[in-house]
Amino acid sequence: MSNIPETGRTSRVTIRLVTIQILVFSLLLTLGGRLWYLQIRNGEEYSAKAVGNHVQQVVKPAVRGSILDARGVPIADNETRLVVSASRTALLKMDDGGDTVLGRLATVLDMPAKDVRQRVRLCNAETPKPCWNGSPYQPIPITDEATAQQALTIRERSEDFPGITAEPKAVRRYPAPYGADTSQVLGYLSPVTDEEIKEAEDTHSPFLPSDQIGRSGLERSYNPALRGDAGVTEYEVDKLGRVMGQKLSEKAEPGSTLITSIDSRIQSVTERELLAAMKMARTQHDHNTGRNYEADAGAAVVLESKTGRVVAMASNPQYDPNAWVGGINADDYRKMTSRKSNYPLLNRAIQGQAAPGSIFKVVSSAAAVRAGYDWDGSYPCSSSYSVGNNTFKNYESASHGSINLARALEVSCDTVFYRLSHQEWKKDGGIDPDKKPDDWFYRTAHRFGLGDETGIDLPNEVTGRVPDRQWKKDYWKANKDTWCKTAEKWPKKKTYQIKLARENCLEGFKLHAYDTINYSIGQGDTLVTPIQMATIYAAISNGGTLHDPSVGKAIVSPDGTDIEKIEPKAHGKLPLSKKTLRQMDEALAGVATHGTAAWRFADVGWPQEKIPMHAKTGTAEVYGKQTTSWFATYTAEYTIVMTISQGGTGSGASGPYVRNIYDALYGVTDDGKIDKKKALLSEPQGSLPEINKHGQILSGFSEKFEARNQKDAAKAEEDGGTE
């Protein structure tokens, strides 16, 4: 038993507790003092040092998805090139704004110094192109065609090229299989702008400064699927650039592949035949103007009749989309946007508007039937038709006596439609119409889809124009002041333009007899696009369904496991009974066998019994210009429409070249027989290309056809048919 008193033990415990308390309070006081020293006394110093530590973001661009034709042949993909880029931020820090470095770089790259400097300047309202339209904080590509020696020189002499990089990168490529540019359908890319980056900040798919974005064509329509997601790695670095740690790492996800309904072989043939038609037209004399036809532009569309899918779409003049890769130079940009080049960036198949001429008569025939006229009725086809002091003549046909509507289509009799439309105009009240006029001829055009977009999956489609009463009123309101000001010169000056301005000033809002008469044969103020007319003729072929024309066929994930099919859609039905559709179909077959297109088909060995051909010719007069050539055709499988601005007659200028496209599709030989071995696509390709177990889409490229195509192109060039 211990001899220490209880009071002594208590005293010892108390001393220990007090000691511990003193130690704890001392530590807390020391810590508090240190915090005061760091945050209050020297807070600004350490804050300044912390600013030097920041997050550095390293972006690995996503590989853009490929665009393939219906057989898996690439029409837009990527390739690795040596890209030389400049950091605008680094250049601006130099005393001369980087001018010396850019001049030195131009010498190494063997480029004009002016071109190099233009590529790094920023686009704005005052700066003409070429210029940099992307973010000023991302490297600006100077060229994507650097040689290995040039890249090595830049890297080895880095002290002479501050702010300049030379490294391999994946860049867009448009390989043009079989020589088919497909330019207006594909479109092109350009860098994303700061404004676009800001607009997309709060979306599920924001842009990065290094992104490229589709500006037209499929590249734009399917940009979200094609672009993929860039990889981003975030490093924490100090003010000396030393890596302190990694905060975030996201792998780049490549874009999906777009499979289209385009067949590059048919596309090649279509582009070649359109160009050949235009070149041939330029050799033909125009008796109306006393000079050869100018044939300054044209378009051709090949659709699957039953689905509306686009097999080929050509627009001329065309361009090389590769010119945009890595930044476009001044000369190429000038060519693509100048009036002298006739604006090759326009896709005239969906943006070219013109009066349709007689291919519009299928609409007028339908309107007549809807208005109560008998398809098999008897209608005078005289050589002219007079209303007041105005006489309207036939263009492609003479007098044919009394005929029915089918024969009126076959011989393209204008006067039959003059009379019918004029009679309906008078029934509706003439110049002072009833409150609710029937307007069968105008309403029917709208039901055929005219005056509206077809819904094709390409951007910037235009609507054309149906010049009905409402359009007349709107147009008059917009132009009244100008017309009335010009009309003040009357009667001192009595030119045709002043007389017309005076009439428009006084009653330009009224629908006159001559408006309706001209409209009935696709003339006057009527405007259509080739894709609209192709959609209409395809609908007549398939039993009345107006499809949304489509180019995209499927979107395939990068690994090939997820396939999103793009099914055909419809936006309406033709307002005709099955009986009337059948009668119209038979009449259009008559055009190809014993009508205005017979000399392009039946008379020159087309196998009508095996492949029934249907056609309609059109020649549209345009004030101040030469006539526009139109040729609309279809079989059970395909619909083809071709038009040539200032090209002459429909059957004369476009007819033989449309026939050549059909010959290539079905393998029709010169003697009218069918050689299945030569047929490129006798039936539309319904299935998608094969995808192997590794997710790769197998290409259906044909070296045999490529060799044959080159041979045909060379022969055509010798004959003066193609370039």
Side-chain angles (χ1 to χ4, degrees):
M1 192 169 181
S2 175
N3 295 321
I4 300 174
E6 187 67 29
T7 57
R9 290 180 181 169
T10 303
S11 177
R12 284 183 180 180
V13 170
T14 302
I15 292 171
R16 288 174 182 172
L17 289 173
V18 170
T19 302
I20 291 171
Q21 287 176 347
I22 292 171
L23 181 61
V24 170
F25 281 120
S26 298
L27 290 173
L28 289 173
L29 185 63
T30 301
L31 181 61
R34 184 61 177 168
L35 288 173
W36 175 86
Y37 177 82
L38 292 174
Q39 295 188 1
I40 306 300
R41 176 137 194 267
N42 283 7
E44 292 185 6
E45 177 186 349
Y46 286 103
S47 178
K49 289 182 178 180
V51 170
N53 297 335
H54 60 279
V55 174
Q56 180 67 47
Q57 197 177 69
V58 178
V59 178
K60 184 178 181 181
V63 176
R64 192 171 179 86
S66 298
I67 303 176
L68 311 180
D69 80 351
R71 300 167 63 245
V73 178
I75 51 180
D77 57 9
N78 309 285
E79 65 178 351
T80 301
R81 296 186 191 174
L82 285 172
V83 179
V84 176
S85 303
S87 169
R88 181 176 170 81
T89 304
L91 293 175
L92 290 178
K93 291 179 180 179
M94 302 175 192
D95 294 338
D96 62 352
D99 192 65
T100 302
V101 172
L102 292 176
R104 201 177 293 140
L105 179 63
T107 302
V108 172
L109 296 178
D110 194 24
M111 292 175 62
K114 180 181 178 182
D115 287 355
V116 173
R117 294 185 177 99
Q118 285 178 336
R119 288 178 182 244
V120 299
R121 65 184 182 181
L122 300 182
C123 293
N124 55 49
E126 291 77 29
T127 305
K129 291 190 177 183
C131 53
W132 178 248
N133 198 38
S135 171
Y137 303 108
Q138 73 175 91
I140 300 174
I142 304 299
T143 181
D144 59 8
E145 297 180 343
T147 64
Q149 183 59 50
Q150 289 170 337
L152 188 62
T153 299
I154 293 169
R155 294 175 73 94
E156 286 183 341
R157 295 166 47 195
S158 58
E159 69 281 0
D160 292 335
F161 299 100
I164 306 299
T165 58
E167 56 188 358
K169 291 183 179 179
V171 298
R172 203 59 164 167
R173 179 181 77 120
Y174 301 95
Y178 313 118
D181 287 325
T182 327
S183 51
Q184 289 91 351
V185 174
L186 289 170
Y188 60 91
L189 304 175
S190 72
V192 66
T193 65
D194 281 351
E195 290 77 13
E196 289 167 332
I197 293 174
K198 188 174 182 180
E199 289 175 2
E201 280 180 352
D202 298 328
T203 66
H204 70 283
S205 184
F207 289 120
L208 295 172
S210 59
D211 280 344
Q212 296 267 316
I213 188 171
R215 294 298 177 191
S216 68
L218 294 172
E219 293 281 27
R220 176 175 170 180
S221 296
Y222 291 93
N223 189 71
L226 292 168
R227 62 178 282 229
D229 294 315
V232 179
T233 303
E234 292 183 352
Y235 295 100
E236 187 177 357
V237 298
D238 63 17
K239 65 178 181 179
L240 298 177
R242 294 174 299 197
V243 177
M244 307 291 291
Q246 182 175 310
K247 294 188 66 176
L248 175 70
S249 180
E250 295 180 348
K251 292 183 179 180
E253 293 291 336
S256 298
T257 296
L258 174 66
I259 299 175
T260 71
S261 55
I262 297 289
D263 188 304
S264 293
R265 301 168 304 172
I266 309 304
Q267 179 71 27
S268 174
V269 172
T270 303
E271 288 181 8
R272 186 175 70 231
E273 294 303 327
L274 174 61
L275 179 59
M278 293 170 62
K279 282 196 159 189
M280 180 57 71
R282 292 171 194 152
T283 68
Q284 304 301 304
H285 185 71
D286 177 13
H287 296 287
N288 293 324
T289 62
R291 63 179 191 275
N292 284 6
Y293 288 104
E294 293 184 18
D296 55 342
V301 179
V302 182
L303 297 183
E304 294 179 4
S305 296
K306 291 182 175 64
T307 65
R309 286 191 169 120
V310 178
V311 179
M313 178 180 284
S315 176
N316 196 292
Q318 56 190 29
Y319 67 93
D320 181 4
N322 288 296
W324 292 89
V325 177
I328 191 168
N329 63 46
D331 288 341
D332 285 339
Y333 185 80
R334 195 178 302 112
K335 290 176 182 176
M336 292 187 191
T337 58
S338 71
R339 183 176 181 180
K340 184 178 180 181
S341 300
N342 205 8
Y343 311 109
L345 292 180
L346 285 176
N347 182 350
R348 286 172 166 81
I350 65 171
Q351 296 173 300
Q353 301 181 107
S358 292
I359 66 169
F360 183 79
K361 288 174 182 173
V362 293
V363 178
S364 295
S365 298
V369 173
R370 296 185 73 210
Y373 296 93
D374 186 357
W375 181 271
D376 292 321
S378 181
Y379 308 102
C381 178
S382 55
S383 60
S384 65
Y385 182 70
S386 297
V387 178
N389 296 325
N390 297 318
T391 299
F392 302 90
K393 297 181 179 180
N394 276 334
Y395 186 83
E396 289 184 327
S397 60
S399 174
H400 288 274
S402 292
I403 58 177
N404 59 18
L405 289 178
R407 188 60 179 162
L409 286 176
E410 291 174 358
V411 299
S412 200
C413 180
D414 294 340
T415 51
V416 166
F417 299 100
Y418 291 157
R419 283 185 171 85
L420 293 176
S421 62
H422 187 214
Q423 288 171 15
E424 284 304 299
W425 176 82
K426 288 188 291 186
K427 285 181 181 179
D428 288 332
I431 198 72
D432 297 309
D434 303 331
K435 289 185 178 180
K436 292 184 178 181
D438 289 327
D439 282 339
W440 287 113
F441 278 74
Y442 297 99
R443 287 170 54 195
T444 300
H446 285 293
R447 291 288 301 275
F448 269 66
L450 297 178
D452 202 356
E453 297 176 1
T454 63
I456 191 170
D457 54 345
L458 292 174
N460 302 319
E461 181 188 6
V462 298
T463 62
R465 180 168 68 208
V466 177
D468 54 19
R469 297 180 193 278
Q470 187 59 50
W471 176 84
K472 286 281 288 185
K473 291 178 181 178
D474 295 340
Y475 190 66
W476 179 74
K477 289 179 181 178
N479 295 278
K480 179 186 176 183
D481 292 343
T482 302
W483 286 330
C484 292
K485 187 175 181 179
T486 303
E488 291 175 359
K489 300 175 183 179
W490 185 272
K492 292 182 179 180
K493 290 185 179 181
K494 294 187 177 181
T495 64
Y496 174 76
Q497 287 78 8
I498 295 175
K499 179 183 178 183
L500 185 63
R502 183 170 179 268
E503 291 176 358
N504 286 331
C505 172
L506 297 174
E507 51 181 29
F509 60 92
K510 293 187 175 182
L511 191 68
H512 294 80
Y514 58 78
D515 290 323
T516 297
I517 288 172
N518 280 324
Y519 164 79
S520 71
I521 61 164
Q523 294 280 180
D525 294 311
T526 311
L527 293 177
V528 302
T529 64
I531 193 65
Q532 286 176 326
M533 299 312 297
T535 302
I536 287 173
Y537 277 82
I540 299 172
S541 172
N542 67 39
T545 302
L546 290 161
H547 284 106
D548 298 5
S550 59
V551 183
K553 200 171 182 180
I555 297 173
V556 182
S557 62
D559 60 4
T561 58
D562 186 15
I563 302 175
E564 178 188 345
K565 292 185 178 181
I566 303 170
E567 300 294 343
K569 297 178 181 179
H571 60 263
K573 297 280 289 185
L574 295 180
L576 296 174
S577 66
K578 291 182 179 180
K579 178 182 178 182
T580 303
L581 268 174
R582 186 182 69 254
Q583 291 170 325
M584 186 176 290
D585 179 78
E586 292 172 354
L588 294 173
V591 175
T593 56
H594 51 271
T596 56
W599 67 306
R600 295 307 185 191
F601 289 106
D603 295 349
V604 285
W606 179 259
Q608 186 72 14
E609 292 184 1
K610 295 181 179 179
I611 309 173
M613 177 62 64
H614 308 73
K616 187 71 195 77
T617 58
T619 307
E621 294 177 310
V622 183
Y623 178 74
K625 292 186 177 183
Q626 295 168 308
T627 55
T628 301
S629 169
W630 285 93
F631 202 60
T633 59
Y634 66 83
T635 62
E637 293 79 25
Y638 300 105
T639 298
I640 301 179
V641 171
M642 181 181 287
T643 182
I644 302 174
S645 169
Q646 303 196 91
T649 65
S651 59
S654 301
Y657 302 94
V658 169
R659 165 67 189 268
N660 289 345
I661 299 173
Y662 278 113
D663 287 348
L665 282 165
Y666 291 106
V668 179
T669 60
D670 292 340
D671 57 1
K673 296 181 180 179
I674 300 174
D675 186 343
K676 293 184 178 180
K677 293 181 180 179
K678 290 184 177 181
L680 297 182
L681 199 65
S682 57
E683 293 182 358
Q685 182 164 328
S687 61
L688 296 175
E690 182 182 352
I691 302 176
N692 66 19
K693 62 181 181 180
H694 304 294
Q696 298 171 320
I697 300 174
L698 303 184
S699 169
F701 184 82
S702 169
E703 292 183 0
K704 182 178 180 181
F705 175 74
E706 171 71 359
R708 175 182 141 197
N709 186 63
Q710 291 179 354
K711 182 179 179 181
D712 291 345
K715 184 178 184 301
E717 186 173 359
E718 290 177 4
D719 296 339
T722 60
E723 293 178 339

